[in-house]
Amino acid sequence: MDYSKFGVEDFLCDTSFLEYCVGTNEEAVAFWTAWLAKHPEKLKAANSARSLYYTLNGNISAESFHKDFEAFKNAFGGVLNLTEPVKIIRIRKSNNSLVFTLTGVAACMLVAFGLFLFKKNKTNQALVTDLSYNTPLGKKLTLKLTDGSVVTLNSGSSLVVSKDFNLHKRDVTLIGEGYFVVAHNEAKPFVVHTKKINVKDIGTEFNIKAYATDKTTEASLIKGRIEITINNNAVAKRLHQNTIVLLPNNKFIIDNNVTGSPGEQKTVKQPFAISHITTNASTNSVVETDWKENKLTFYDSSLDDIALQMERWYGVKIQITSPAIKAYRFTATFDHEDIIQVLEALKLSSNFNYRKEDSVIIIY
Amino acid sequence: MAERLKETWHQFIEGNHEALNDLYKQHYLGLINYGIKLTGDRQYANDCITEILLALWEKRSRLPEVDNVRSYLMSCLRTLVFQKFRSEKLRETKETIAHSLIVQEELPYEEYITSLQTDKIVKERLQQSLSKLTERQKELLQYRFFDNMDYDEIALKCGISKRTAYNIIYDALQKLKTDLSREGNSDYLYSMLLFFINFIAIDQFLR
């Protein structure tokens, strides 16, 4: 549509413009912000249209919307975490055993967590216990911590924020994968603890991948500087250094099975590696952080690793029957495709078949 | 538009978290204004909306597919607010709100939006300008901008065509715009600017 001839009344007759004014539709906001930046000559008309709109809509501005939306999301925060287990508990009646017992336990913990959240909303004081955020398989979560840092959690991850967070220091514990944009504060160091390593930030954006089921733990630095400490005295001693400083566009990889005990020293020559982060040439995006843009990316990964990644991404179970197939390697990026589309695409370039049995996908 | 609302509702029933946020965003304006009208308090109205969506989310698997999501949510909101007012405890504590409820209900749309203006000059000008509009025009402005109905819904409600609804609103907006813009001087400047831009555009085109 040609907006360049728009007058005040035309703007007001355009639904997306109204959504932009109140901020209820991100696409509309992005579009009109960009459009008005390109057409400064229309700013005056657009501004008149906006103020007339606020008059007509009962003084509901973008500011009031965002305030109300935040309140809404806060009220829902605890409940959303409950949804997955609650759904499963209902199925539990149909007599399934271990998994559901475990999710039951998880649900109880989440209920406790939810109650805690409500309590916290009321009192709004310092935390009495650690605060934990969990993402179920197939879901992601972005959260803003009290110090202003923003963390995006990938599927099947958990982040525990220590109860004295932002008092003197800022400690969080991560299992799984998270993207951190840390608000810089020299007085209160921000440290992410994982099983294998601790990452101390010096004003940064970085990605940490520390799934218990993965073969390696990775820390990729996008901006700024981070200091990495290995959580194993033996390994650290052998390196004759405690910390490794990482520079932007580099990533640190450590084997999850390195124990550092003398017996295993022979098998693992180099306990960790530093390499450049991988940039996807065609899309110009960083492979390590593609997940944040909802892109499922494999870069020269074995089907074995891909299956693990897809299990988390789609919340399914995948079994590969033959070791030969497990070793197939793929490089690909998928944007919003469903699991069948992904499997079909992978199938095209190699020699395997798959079938669905109940909730399990079997590759053979 | 209506299809988008129905799709979001469908996703909501299916348990999609994103749809929950979308549902809130899509119906925020209509619901908050209705809530404010009923309770006289924006924050309280927002709490009620949250409570409703929470209740609906909990029983989402048992919810029906709905054609008009907006009016479905509105009637949920109305029921909840009345329930709250009926309860003995709230009748005491929220007396002020209950009082303003009656006041708000009595205020017609044009008086309500005028009462929200703090600037005396703007207030007077708006009042004058609105008084020149026909009842039909004011009614449709309310449906479109205050209740956040789309043109389809307005057309259905008023028994007119979508085109007619659009034209009535467009005319009303034109009148308001002219009345409310200062002196009309800025409009002149603005059309000069437009002319100039067109001139450049044509010039570029001819090359």
Side-chain angles (χ1 to χ4, degrees), chain A residues 258-270:
Chain A
V258 173
T259 60
S261 66
E264 288 188 29
Q265 258 186 24
K266 282 170 246 156
T267 52
V268 192
K269 279 190 218 111
Q270 184 74 15

Side-chain angles (χ1 to χ4, degrees), chain A residues 7 20 24 36 67 88 100-101 112 136 148 166 175 178 219 228 268 288 307 336:
Chain A
Y20 152 73
T24 48
L36 285 169
K67 215 166 138 199
I88 294 165
F100 294 125
T101 318
N166 212 15
I175 302 171
I228 295 165
V268 192
E288 281 78 5
H336 288 101

Side-chain angles (χ1 to χ4, degrees), chain A residues 6 8-10 12 15 18-19 24 26 41 53 55-58 64-65 68-69 72 76 83, chain B residues 4 17 24-25 28-29 33 42 46 54 57 109 113 116-117 144-145 166 170 174 177 186 190 197:
Chain A
F6 260 33
V8 172
E9 59 276 32
D10 300 296
L12 283 171
T15 304
L18 303 184
E19 290 172 337
T24 48
E26 280 104 0
E41 76 280 1
Y53 179 47
T55 305
L56 290 172
N57 81 1
S64 27
F65 164 70
D68 288 343
F69 189 44
F72 165 79
F76 256 101
T83 42
Chain B
R4 200 176 94 196
H17 291 185
Y24 179 88
K25 289 188 223 162
Y28 169 75
L29 192 63
N33 272 331
R42 203 191 85 210
N46 192 45
L54 188 70
W57 177 256
Y109 169 64
I113 61 168
L116 291 175
Q117 301 308 317
R144 179 69 193 112
F145 298 110
Y166 184 90
Y170 193 88
Q174 255 180 341
K177 180 189 87 169
S186 52
Y190 162 70
I197 291 157

